[in-house]
Every structure is written in C-alpha cells, then in structure tokens.
Amino acid sequence: SFVVPIHIGINQQKRILISNPVSDKITLPADKQLKKLSVYNNLGQKLIQLNITEATTEINIEELAVGVYLLKANDVNGNVYTERFVVRR
C-alpha cells in the first residue's frame, strides 16, 4: 500500500496521511484533532459516521465492499478534510 494525503480545505498545505488502498481499517493520526468523520459510497450514501473522542482513531471498514469511497472529516477548528480511498481485499 502507499500513502495518500488528505487535503484540508482549499489552498491550504496541511495534510493527513492514510494508507491507500485499504482492506480492513483506516488509522488517522492524532495531531489533527478530528471531531467527526463520515464515509460515503460513490452514490453519496453515508455508510459510516463517527464522533471522534480518542487521540488516534481507527475506522473499521471490514463491512465495506470492495470499491471506492469518500472519507470526510471535520476538526475542532472547523477545517474539512476529504479524500477518496479504495477498499481492496
């Protein structure tokens, strides 16, 4: 697997790095102070929604079928992070 940056907002240089493609979980770093995270399928249906309380969050995606998904996260400062990721097994 390789690392894909998740860009924060528009024209900002901050990033979150996640492995892509993924098979069973996504691990998010603790330094971004995320508070909410959602995963959507390519039809725009929300499949996962989490309120984040831990410093580092692992998102279990074992129940997701093989395919392409959108991860959207909000931090405590109102920044929005979005990135597509691939589930592969």
Side-chain angles (χ1 to χ4, degrees), residues 2-88:
F2 54 95
V3 175
V4 174
I6 297 179
H7 300 282
I8 304 171
I10 299 173
N11 298 324
Q12 294 185 13
Q13 299 300 316
K14 297 178 184 178
R15 296 180 177 176
I16 291 181
L17 300 177
I18 63 169
S19 295
N20 202 359
V22 296
S23 60
D24 59 350
K25 66 182 175 180
I26 296 173
T27 302
L28 299 174
D31 63 343
K32 301 303 179 192
Q33 296 180 316
L34 300 177
K35 68 175 187 174
K36 184 178 177 184
L37 182 137
S38 302
V39 174
Y40 299 85
N41 65 15
N42 58 1
L43 299 175
Q45 298 167 317
K46 188 184 299 182
L47 304 176
I48 298 173
Q49 182 169 335
L50 300 171
N51 291 318
I52 300 171
T53 58
E54 303 275 330
T56 302
T57 300
E58 288 188 350
I59 306 160
N60 182 349
I61 57 159
E62 290 178 336
E63 71 277 1
L64 297 180
V66 171
V68 179
Y69 296 87
L70 177 70
L71 179 136
K72 180 180 177 185
N74 301 79
D75 70 13
V76 296
N77 298 315
N79 295 310
V80 178
Y81 304 61
T82 59
E83 184 59 62
R84 293 195 187 281
F85 67 94
V86 176
V87 173
R88 190 182 295 169

